[in-house]
Amino acid sequence: FGCVTILMTPFILIMVIWYIVSTPTANYERDIDGEDNHYICISGGLVPHLTWVFFFILVGYGGIVLVLSAIFVFVTRSVKTKYNEAQTIALSIYNLVFVGIVSVPVLFVLQLQHSILAYWILLNVIILYTF
């Protein structure tokens, strides 16, 4: 319980500070012809343009945790116990790194091209793949 608390505390602090500094708000967008009106979630709050900074801080912290996990798995790979889960944890780390390196940049490109259907399909495939 203590190790999980220690690793999750910085994550929760980053999320709370991000939410206080750059609160998400709904912006009502009207289309030119007036038929496709909808809300878009934008970054608002005290400093509205820090969304990417907090995102990369959060991703960097997650990367640090993944590297530490990979080191622990490598060090304990040959421990002879009944509950040795080094191979399972290594496969989980591999899946997360693969998703982070390959799929997340593709999601950003699809979002910039406003391809909503392809973005939604790929996002659901990523969610299912990581579980």
Side-chain angles (χ1 to χ4, degrees):
F1 179 74
C3 185
V4 173
T5 304
I6 290 170
L7 289 175
M8 287 302 294
T9 302
F11 177 77
I12 293 170
L13 285 175
I14 292 168
M15 293 297 291
V16 167
I17 293 170
W18 186 0
Y19 188 76
I20 290 170
V21 172
S22 185
T23 309
T25 56
N27 187 22
Y28 189 71
E29 296 257 335
R30 291 180 184 238
D31 199 12
I32 295 173
D33 58 0
E35 293 180 13
D36 194 22
N37 300 334
H38 54 277
Y39 286 97
I40 294 180
C41 183
I42 61 168
S43 177
L46 300 173
V47 185
H49 301 293
L50 284 181
T51 300
W52 291 107
V53 173
F54 280 106
F55 174 76
F56 286 115
I57 289 172
L58 203 60
V59 168
Y61 177 71
I64 290 169
V65 170
L66 279 176
V67 168
L68 287 175
S69 300
I71 291 170
F72 290 146
V73 165
F74 182 76
V75 169
T76 62
R77 73 188 182 281
S78 60
V79 174
K80 302 291 183 203
T81 63
K82 188 167 49 171
Y83 304 109
N84 189 356
E85 298 175 347
Q87 185 177 9
T88 308
I89 295 170
L91 287 173
S92 297
I93 292 170
Y94 166 76
N95 284 341
L96 289 173
V97 169
F98 177 77
V99 166
I101 291 175
V102 174
S103 303
V104 172
V106 172
L107 281 176
F108 283 126
V109 169
L110 289 175
Q111 187 177 14
L112 290 175
Q113 292 181 351
H114 301 291
S115 178
I116 303 300
L117 181 62
Y119 178 82
W120 183 81
I121 290 171
L122 184 61
L123 184 63
N124 285 313
V125 167
I126 289 170
I127 291 171
L128 291 175
Y129 179 75
T130 55
F131 285 115

